[in-house]
Amino acid sequence: MSSPKSTFIQEANDLLQMLEEVLLELETAPESPGQIDAAFRALHTLKGSGGMFGFGELAAFSHHFEDAFDQLREGRATVSPELIAVSLDSRDHLAALLALGPDEEADEDTRIIGDALLARLRKLMDTPADVSDTFAGQPPAPDAASAEPVVPRRWSISFSAEPSALKNGFRPELLWDELALLGSLRLTCLGDNVPELEILDPGECYLRWEMELETSVSRERIEDVFIFSMDAEIEIKALDPVEAGVASEPDQDPDSPAETATVTENGPVAAPKSESVRVQADRLDDLMDQLGELVIAQARLKSICEKFDDPRLESTVEEIEALVTGLRDTTLSIRMLPVSRVFGKFRRVIRDLSLELEKPAQLITEGGDTEVDKNIIDSLTEPLVHMIRNSLDHGVEDVAAREASGKPATATVRLSACQSGGEVLISISDDGAGLNAEAIRERAVERGLIAADQYISTEALYQLIFEPGFSTAKNLSSVSGRGVGMDAVRRVVDDLRGTIDVKSVAGQGTKVTLRLPLTLAIIDGLLVEVDGDKFVIPLSSVEECVELPDIETARDDGRTILRIRDQLVSYLSLDKLFGYNISTRSHRRVAIVNADGQRIGLVVDDVLGQLQTVIKPLSPFHHMVEELAGATILGDGSIALILDVNALVRRATTVMIAA
């Protein structure tokens, strides 16, 4: 079970990612009060929860960072490019402090970086260091939200923690320290609820606290101190007669608007109902493993049922099949996450790269609500970063070249996602110069990938950019040019059992589309037979199945050509490819698949039908067989190997070229 500190780290990382996105939004829309408020809330949350869980350095830095956005909220400062730049650097510094872990002190270099960032913030905000440094012991400045003169008030605060709070990492002294910064605090600890020693649980919290606070800050600032103690019983009362009379009517209290109040005047905090539950990833993986076994067991039960003519058994099996199908769909939906979780990271990549390369560029995202399996989401960052870097470095022209060709000075990189059947299509396109087909061909001939006089389609030619070490760049740069990035893209996509489509128009730009399965756990498959052995072809790769005419004859290179609706399609015989005895059966079948953008036929003895395929990993002895994506257990208990169509076709093509 995850500890509260590990939960905080996960939530803090989410907040930092959200903060980065908000800052980038502010760079394009500096007058957006909603984004300023969102940044302030994120920093306020990091400050409060960081202090509670032992991230003192992070909490202290967040406090100073928060002050800058507090001034923005109150209109005492404005958003500027310089502020966005230092804010992004400060966000990165917060990530470094978070990586230190709880109760760890930053080293000297990290402290120097933090001090330099705070100095830049103070200079931009025109705030003296001795005023901003509230963690040194000085109280914060009074609220400026109200136009009325600030009058000190006295508040009575009663606090009782949840019994299990201490076990969950609650540290009450941090709350009292933060309250003391608001003004003059008198604190009393009461132990009237502590039981006798014989029944006392050392892990339970039996104490309660009574406080009297004299401060000039608003009620909202006091409530913010307890924002992370929603399971506790908290009661706040105004003691001054005049203020108490005003506070009894919340709608008339300018400092306590009804829509923002989280603590009632004379009552405890009402904790909101949670609409979501954070679940550890390994628990989801365990659930999916158990579901996979259930699907296999259900298939075996169905296979057994077919041998008996019992309507009652058939009815029960159908009910179980419906329940398993519903459970499968629900479990798969739990693992699905929107690709916006990945897309949001790349606005910063585009911003930093455009500054480094001196090529103004903007990122447009579409279809961020498209959902994909969490394991695919986790693997997408690396290939997308490589493709974005290539788009800006190789595809997008410099400002002079763009203006000469009539294009706007600011390039557009578009990142989009959509669902198509059992696949999700993720595309990256730019409005740059497009791919240079001649340069790609010359480089491919130079490296021996194709013969000088060999015909190759434009689509196949573009696929060569994903070969290891392939690059047409004449000069190396800090961004690209070594031919490593696109090779890494193909490797990741292959591991995910996906394909890559490349389209390019000279002078107009390039579009690279990743076609990925929606999930990696259970897929729809086409069960085929070759010389008595069974194989599964992922159904997402299959376009159609046709019968192989007996009159078709093999060419000398081992390939055959099949005419399908006035189109010629090359095909491979799996018995030859796998080393089986050459089949003499008539009426064999051809599964037409899409491999790396090409239509290829795979000749099999028979097509047995479709099935839900639970993917099982191969043993360590077979893991390096690239043509196999895994294995599955059929209803009769036998094993069927799952084919990696792209790797299979590439290997066959390589062998034939070498021959």
Side-chain angles (χ1 to χ4, degrees), residues 158-460:
S158 175
F159 182 91
S160 298
E162 185 190 17
S164 61
L166 297 178
K167 296 178 182 178
N168 294 329
F170 172 63
R171 296 174 59 179
E173 74 277 10
L174 298 176
L175 290 179
W176 318 149
D177 290 344
E178 191 170 353
L179 278 175
L181 292 174
L182 301 181
S184 175
L185 177 69
R186 288 189 292 276
L187 175 68
T188 302
C189 179
L190 304 175
D192 48 333
N193 292 328
V194 178
E196 297 180 357
L197 188 61
E198 290 78 5
I199 60 174
L200 185 143
D201 182 352
E204 296 288 320
C205 181
Y206 301 101
L207 303 177
R208 61 186 182 91
W209 291 265
E210 297 287 347
M211 292 155 276
E212 185 175 312
L213 175 66
E214 184 175 338
T215 180
S216 57
V217 303
S218 66
R219 169 188 297 278
E220 183 180 3
R221 290 291 293 271
I222 300 174
E223 294 169 353
D224 283 346
V225 174
F226 300 99
I227 193 172
F228 305 104
S229 305
M230 298 303 291
D231 291 330
E233 293 185 7
I234 308 167
E235 192 174 305
I236 300 177
K237 296 180 180 179
L239 295 180
D240 295 312
V242 174
E243 298 301 324
V246 175
S248 62
E249 300 180 19
D251 292 340
Q252 300 177 11
D253 188 350
D255 291 325
S256 181
E259 62 270 23
T260 60
T262 57
V263 183
T264 60
E265 174 65 26
N266 297 310
V269 174
K273 293 182 179 180
S274 176
E275 296 183 356
S276 62
V277 178
R278 185 181 291 271
V279 180
Q280 289 177 278
D282 56 355
R283 292 191 175 187
L284 283 179
D285 293 337
D286 290 342
L287 178 61
M288 184 55 65
D289 290 341
Q290 296 294 327
L291 176 63
E293 296 299 327
L294 183 60
V295 170
I296 293 172
Q298 182 269 326
R300 293 180 62 186
L301 180 61
K302 184 177 181 181
S303 177
I304 294 172
C305 176
E306 292 173 352
K307 300 178 181 179
F308 298 91
D309 186 15
D310 189 337
R312 293 176 300 174
L313 180 58
E314 291 177 359
S315 175
T316 303
V317 169
E318 289 177 358
E319 290 180 10
I320 293 176
E321 184 176 7
L323 290 172
V324 170
T325 301
L327 179 60
R328 180 201 66 208
D329 293 342
T330 300
T331 304
L332 289 176
S333 68
I334 294 174
R335 290 168 56 98
M336 305 294 274
L337 298 173
V339 294
S340 58
R341 294 173 63 96
V342 179
F343 284 5
K345 302 177 182 179
F346 299 115
R347 294 190 62 185
R348 178 76 178 277
V349 174
I350 289 287
R351 177 188 183 275
D352 293 346
L353 276 178
S354 62
L355 292 175
E356 179 180 350
L357 299 173
E358 298 181 351
K359 295 179 179 180
Q362 62 174 342
L363 176 67
I364 297 177
T365 60
E366 299 172 343
D369 56 349
T370 304
E371 293 188 332
V372 192
D373 188 283
K374 73 173 187 65
N375 289 335
I376 295 179
I377 289 284
D378 294 340
S379 303
L380 279 178
T381 300
E382 180 186 0
L384 292 180
V385 166
H386 285 306
M387 289 194 291
I388 287 175
R389 292 166 72 91
N390 265 29
S391 289
L392 280 182
D393 195 26
H394 296 309
V396 172
E397 314 94 327
D398 57 34
V399 175
R402 290 183 65 84
E403 291 179 345
S405 59
K407 295 181 180 180
T410 300
T412 298
V413 177
R414 192 177 302 272
L415 189 57
S416 62
C418 66
Q419 184 176 338
S420 176
E423 293 182 315
V424 61
L425 278 56
I426 298 179
S427 302
I428 294 181
S429 59
D430 62 64
D431 60 350
L435 293 177
N436 188 332
E438 284 302 317
I440 294 173
R441 184 179 181 87
E442 290 176 6
R443 182 60 175 156
V445 172
E446 182 182 318
R447 294 197 52 202
L449 297 175
I450 59 174
D453 58 349
Q454 179 182 344
Y455 168 78
I456 183 171
S457 66
T458 303
E459 293 78 8

Side-chain angles (χ1 to χ4, degrees), residues 10-26 34-46 69 88 91 340-341 344-345 347-348:
Q10 295 174 14
E11 294 178 347
N13 280 314
D14 292 341
L15 282 171
L16 289 174
Q17 179 60 39
M18 185 268 284
L19 178 61
E20 181 176 280
E21 296 172 10
V22 167
L23 292 173
L24 294 172
E25 287 285 349
L26 273 176
Q35 300 298 340
I36 294 174
D37 289 340
F40 178 82
R41 287 194 300 269
L43 291 169
H44 189 76
T45 302
L46 285 170
F69 279 85
L88 287 170
R91 177 263 172 208
S340 58
R341 294 173 63 96
K345 302 177 182 179
R347 294 190 62 185
R348 178 76 178 277

Side-chain angles (χ1 to χ4, degrees), residues 112-167:
I112 291 174
I113 293 173
D115 291 342
L117 289 171
L118 291 180
R120 291 168 62 188
L121 279 172
R122 294 187 187 108
K123 183 177 180 180
L124 287 172
M125 295 292 104
D126 195 22
T127 305
D130 57 341
V131 174
S132 176
D133 194 7
T134 58
F135 270 90
Q138 297 187 13
D143 284 2
S146 174
E148 298 179 2
V150 177
V151 178
R153 310 179 189 179
R154 290 187 304 119
W155 301 89
S156 170
I157 306 172
S158 175
F159 182 91
S160 298
E162 185 190 17
S164 61
L166 297 178
K167 296 178 182 178

